[in-house]
Amino acid sequence: AAIVGIIFFQVDDSYVGVQDRVGAIFFIILNLVFSNVSSIGLFIKEKAIFRHENISGYYRVSAYFLAKVLCDVIPLRVLPTVVFAAISYWMIGLQADASNFFIYLLTLILTSTAASGVAFTFSALINVFALANVMTIFTYVIMMAFAGFFVNVNSLENWISWLQYLSIFRYSLHALAENELTDQTFCDVINNVSNATTFQCDSMRTIVGNE
């Protein structure tokens, strides 16, 4: 969080600031999603023990899964995300408004838990750690490609453009960008001659609304 805050420290309200904000948001999403690769081994390591104990009637699948959620998702995914959000939000200099901050926080928590869900799925389906790792990362990369950051998804062919609706990156990027940019006004100096400074300003309401 501190590294992100230092790189994008106190972005300004110029047109360059718009690029910096979107870049910071995408970098944060990227960091949160790929950090969940560490949860791939959660089920793989204990799968044999779980099957033995479940068949023996020691506990149900729901009890095992709930225990994993309480012991992994909350302390290792949610709480670090809360700390990350509290540090990065104010260091970057995003909108100093409580409602915007809590929307930012909630979006990051949902992003992290959704990404961990993808890792959990492959961890439960595949017995080989290396294969589960490759499949999870491949899925994250495909989601990233269809986020709308690198390519305009509206320009893609119909047979492939539907993949955008499966992208965690896309939903998170749109939510955070709209939360930060809507109703903001950004200005740039277009003329500074003879002590007369001219500014060009634009509101982001229409731009964000049309994305």
Side-chain angles (χ1 to χ4, degrees), residues 7 15 18 32 34 38 49 64 77 80 91 93-94 100 115 117 120 131 135 148 150-151 158 169-170 190 194:
I7 295 174
Y15 291 160
V18 177
L32 283 180
F34 279 91
S38 61
I49 299 175
Y64 175 80
R77 314 296 164 192
M91 286 189 69
L94 303 179
N100 288 83
F120 288 165
L131 181 57
M135 292 301 299
F150 298 109
V151 63
N158 292 333
F169 288 85
R170 175 179 179 270
I190 60 174
S194 301

Short mmCIF file of all heavy atoms in Angstrom, two decimals, residues 7 15 18 32 34 38 49 64 77 80 91 93-94 100 115 117 120 131 135 148 150-151 158 169-170 190 194:
data_model
loop_
_atom_site.label_atom_id
_atom_site.label_comp_id
_atom_site.label_asym_id
_atom_site.label_seq_id
_atom_site.Cartn_x
_atom_site.Cartn_y
_atom_site.Cartn_z
N ILE A 7 4.16 5.94 -5.33
CA ILE A 7 4.18 6.08 -6.79
C ILE A 7 3.14 7.09 -7.26
O ILE A 7 3.41 7.92 -8.14
CB ILE A 7 3.93 4.72 -7.47
CG1 ILE A 7 5.08 3.75 -7.15
CG2 ILE A 7 3.78 4.88 -8.99
CD1 ILE A 7 4.84 2.34 -7.66
N TYR A 15 -5.54 17.18 -16.31
CA TYR A 15 -5.87 16.05 -17.18
C TYR A 15 -4.92 14.88 -16.94
O TYR A 15 -5.31 13.71 -17.07
CB TYR A 15 -5.80 16.48 -18.65
CG TYR A 15 -6.89 17.45 -19.06
CD1 TYR A 15 -6.77 18.24 -20.20
CD2 TYR A 15 -8.05 17.58 -18.30
CE1 TYR A 15 -7.77 19.13 -20.57
CE2 TYR A 15 -9.05 18.46 -18.67
CZ TYR A 15 -8.90 19.24 -19.80
OH TYR A 15 -9.89 20.10 -20.16
N VAL A 18 -6.16 12.63 -14.26
CA VAL A 18 -7.15 11.62 -14.64
C VAL A 18 -6.45 10.31 -14.99
O VAL A 18 -6.83 9.23 -14.53
CB VAL A 18 -8.00 12.09 -15.85
CG1 VAL A 18 -8.97 11.01 -16.27
CG2 VAL A 18 -8.73 13.37 -15.50
N LEU A 32 -4.40 -6.68 -5.98
CA LEU A 32 -5.33 -7.43 -5.15
C LEU A 32 -5.68 -8.78 -5.75
O LEU A 32 -5.71 -9.80 -5.05
CB LEU A 32 -6.61 -6.63 -4.92
CG LEU A 32 -6.56 -5.49 -3.91
CD1 LEU A 32 -7.92 -4.81 -3.83
CD2 LEU A 32 -6.15 -6.00 -2.54
N PHE A 34 -4.06 -10.67 -8.14
CA PHE A 34 -2.97 -11.63 -8.26
C PHE A 34 -2.39 -12.03 -6.91
O PHE A 34 -1.72 -13.07 -6.82
CB PHE A 34 -1.88 -11.08 -9.18
CG PHE A 34 -2.18 -11.26 -10.64
CD1 PHE A 34 -2.85 -10.27 -11.34
CD2 PHE A 34 -1.81 -12.42 -11.30
CE1 PHE A 34 -3.14 -10.43 -12.69
CE2 PHE A 34 -2.10 -12.59 -12.65
CZ PHE A 34 -2.77 -11.60 -13.34
N SER A 38 -1.87 -17.02 -3.83
CA SER A 38 -1.35 -17.72 -2.65
C SER A 38 -2.38 -18.65 -2.01
O SER A 38 -2.01 -19.53 -1.21
CB SER A 38 -0.86 -16.72 -1.60
OG SER A 38 -1.93 -15.88 -1.17
N ILE A 49 -6.86 -35.60 3.34
CA ILE A 49 -7.31 -35.66 4.75
C ILE A 49 -8.79 -35.33 4.85
O ILE A 49 -9.55 -35.99 5.58
CB ILE A 49 -6.49 -34.69 5.61
CG1 ILE A 49 -5.01 -35.08 5.58
CG2 ILE A 49 -7.01 -34.65 7.04
CD1 ILE A 49 -4.11 -34.12 6.32
N TYR A 64 -16.58 -27.62 6.88
CA TYR A 64 -15.17 -27.49 6.47
C TYR A 64 -14.98 -26.20 5.68
O TYR A 64 -14.03 -25.43 5.93
CB TYR A 64 -14.77 -28.70 5.63
CG TYR A 64 -13.38 -28.62 5.07
CD1 TYR A 64 -12.27 -28.91 5.84
CD2 TYR A 64 -13.16 -28.25 3.73
CE1 TYR A 64 -10.98 -28.85 5.32
CE2 TYR A 64 -11.89 -28.19 3.19
CZ TYR A 64 -10.80 -28.49 3.99
OH TYR A 64 -9.53 -28.41 3.46
N ARG A 77 -7.53 -12.17 3.66
CA ARG A 77 -7.98 -11.47 2.45
C ARG A 77 -8.70 -10.17 2.78
O ARG A 77 -8.41 -9.13 2.18
CB ARG A 77 -8.92 -12.37 1.63
CG ARG A 77 -8.44 -13.79 1.43
CD ARG A 77 -7.17 -13.90 0.64
NE ARG A 77 -6.58 -15.23 0.81
CZ ARG A 77 -5.35 -15.56 0.43
NH1 ARG A 77 -4.58 -14.67 -0.16
NH2 ARG A 77 -4.89 -16.79 0.63
N PRO A 80 -6.38 -7.52 5.52
CA PRO A 80 -5.30 -6.81 4.83
C PRO A 80 -5.81 -5.83 3.78
O PRO A 80 -5.20 -4.78 3.57
CB PRO A 80 -4.51 -7.95 4.16
CG PRO A 80 -4.79 -9.14 5.00
CD PRO A 80 -6.23 -8.98 5.43
N MET A 91 -3.17 8.44 0.67
CA MET A 91 -1.87 8.78 0.11
C MET A 91 -1.98 9.17 -1.36
O MET A 91 -1.31 10.11 -1.82
CB MET A 91 -0.90 7.60 0.25
CG MET A 91 -0.37 7.37 1.65
SD MET A 91 0.98 6.13 1.70
CE MET A 91 2.29 7.04 0.85
N GLY A 93 -4.57 10.50 -2.69
CA GLY A 93 -5.28 11.77 -2.74
C GLY A 93 -6.58 11.69 -3.51
O GLY A 93 -6.95 12.62 -4.24
N LEU A 94 -7.29 10.57 -3.37
CA LEU A 94 -8.60 10.43 -4.00
C LEU A 94 -9.60 11.30 -3.25
O LEU A 94 -9.26 11.95 -2.28
CB LEU A 94 -9.01 8.95 -4.00
CG LEU A 94 -8.02 8.01 -4.70
CD1 LEU A 94 -8.51 6.56 -4.63
CD2 LEU A 94 -7.77 8.42 -6.14
N ASN A 100 -17.33 8.14 -0.51
CA ASN A 100 -16.46 7.65 -1.59
C ASN A 100 -15.43 6.65 -1.07
O ASN A 100 -15.13 5.65 -1.72
CB ASN A 100 -15.74 8.82 -2.26
CG ASN A 100 -16.66 9.67 -3.09
OD1 ASN A 100 -17.35 10.54 -2.58
ND2 ASN A 100 -16.69 9.43 -4.38
N ALA A 115 -11.70 -12.77 -6.36
CA ALA A 115 -10.47 -13.36 -6.89
C ALA A 115 -10.07 -14.60 -6.11
O ALA A 115 -9.62 -15.59 -6.69
CB ALA A 115 -9.34 -12.33 -6.87
N GLY A 117 -12.14 -16.55 -4.68
CA GLY A 117 -13.10 -17.56 -5.08
C GLY A 117 -12.66 -18.31 -6.32
O GLY A 117 -12.86 -19.53 -6.43
N PHE A 120 -9.93 -20.63 -5.17
CA PHE A 120 -10.53 -21.74 -4.43
C PHE A 120 -11.14 -22.77 -5.38
O PHE A 120 -11.06 -23.98 -5.14
CB PHE A 120 -11.60 -21.24 -3.47
CG PHE A 120 -11.07 -20.49 -2.28
CD1 PHE A 120 -11.91 -19.72 -1.51
CD2 PHE A 120 -9.73 -20.58 -1.93
CE1 PHE A 120 -11.42 -19.03 -0.41
CE2 PHE A 120 -9.23 -19.89 -0.82
CZ PHE A 120 -10.08 -19.12 -0.07
N LEU A 131 -0.59 -27.23 -11.89
CA LEU A 131 -1.65 -27.06 -12.88
C LEU A 131 -2.71 -26.08 -12.39
O LEU A 131 -3.18 -25.23 -13.15
CB LEU A 131 -2.29 -28.42 -13.19
CG LEU A 131 -3.42 -28.41 -14.23
CD1 LEU A 131 -2.92 -27.83 -15.55
CD2 LEU A 131 -3.98 -29.82 -14.42
N MET A 135 -3.70 -22.54 -14.23
CA MET A 135 -5.08 -22.26 -14.63
C MET A 135 -5.62 -21.00 -13.95
O MET A 135 -6.35 -20.21 -14.57
CB MET A 135 -5.97 -23.46 -14.29
CG MET A 135 -5.68 -24.70 -15.13
SD MET A 135 -5.89 -24.40 -16.91
CE MET A 135 -7.62 -23.95 -16.98
N GLY A 148 -11.20 -3.65 -20.20
CA GLY A 148 -11.48 -2.39 -20.87
C GLY A 148 -10.38 -1.37 -20.68
O GLY A 148 -10.49 -0.24 -21.15
N PHE A 150 -6.93 -2.03 -21.52
CA PHE A 150 -5.99 -2.16 -22.61
C PHE A 150 -6.65 -2.04 -23.98
O PHE A 150 -6.04 -1.56 -24.93
CB PHE A 150 -5.27 -3.51 -22.53
CG PHE A 150 -4.47 -3.69 -21.28
CD1 PHE A 150 -4.88 -4.59 -20.29
CD2 PHE A 150 -3.32 -2.95 -21.06
CE1 PHE A 150 -4.14 -4.76 -19.14
CE2 PHE A 150 -2.58 -3.11 -19.90
CZ PHE A 150 -2.99 -4.01 -18.93
N VAL A 151 -7.89 -2.49 -24.08
CA VAL A 151 -8.60 -2.45 -25.35
C VAL A 151 -10.06 -2.09 -25.08
O VAL A 151 -10.62 -2.49 -24.06
CB VAL A 151 -8.49 -3.80 -26.09
CG1 VAL A 151 -9.14 -4.91 -25.28
CG2 VAL A 151 -9.12 -3.73 -27.48
N ASN A 158 -18.41 -10.04 -31.59
CA ASN A 158 -19.43 -10.57 -30.69
C ASN A 158 -19.07 -11.94 -30.12
O ASN A 158 -19.43 -12.27 -28.99
CB ASN A 158 -20.78 -10.66 -31.42
CG ASN A 158 -21.35 -9.30 -31.74
OD1 ASN A 158 -21.08 -8.32 -31.04
ND2 ASN A 158 -22.15 -9.21 -32.79
N PHE A 169 -11.85 -7.72 -13.10
CA PHE A 169 -11.17 -6.44 -13.33
C PHE A 169 -12.14 -5.40 -13.89
O PHE A 169 -12.10 -4.23 -13.48
CB PHE A 169 -10.02 -6.63 -14.33
CG PHE A 169 -8.84 -7.36 -13.78
CD1 PHE A 169 -8.80 -8.75 -13.79
CD2 PHE A 169 -7.75 -6.67 -13.28
CE1 PHE A 169 -7.70 -9.43 -13.30
CE2 PHE A 169 -6.64 -7.34 -12.79
CZ PHE A 169 -6.61 -8.73 -12.80
N ARG A 170 -12.99 -5.82 -14.83
CA ARG A 170 -13.90 -4.87 -15.49
C ARG A 170 -14.87 -4.27 -14.50
O ARG A 170 -15.04 -3.04 -14.45
CB ARG A 170 -14.67 -5.59 -16.60
CG ARG A 170 -15.73 -4.73 -17.29
CD ARG A 170 -16.43 -5.50 -18.40
NE ARG A 170 -17.46 -4.71 -19.02
CZ ARG A 170 -18.73 -4.66 -18.62
NH1 ARG A 170 -19.11 -5.39 -17.58
NH2 ARG A 170 -19.61 -3.91 -19.25
N ILE A 190 -3.92 26.17 -20.66
CA ILE A 190 -3.77 26.15 -22.11
C ILE A 190 -3.10 27.42 -22.64
O ILE A 190 -2.69 27.49 -23.78
CB ILE A 190 -5.14 25.96 -22.82
CG1 ILE A 190 -6.09 27.11 -22.45
CG2 ILE A 190 -5.75 24.64 -22.46
CD1 ILE A 190 -7.40 27.06 -23.23
N SER A 194 1.89 36.81 -20.52
CA SER A 194 1.75 38.16 -19.95
C SER A 194 0.93 38.14 -18.66
O SER A 194 0.00 38.94 -18.48
CB SER A 194 1.11 39.10 -20.97
OG SER A 194 1.91 39.17 -22.14
#
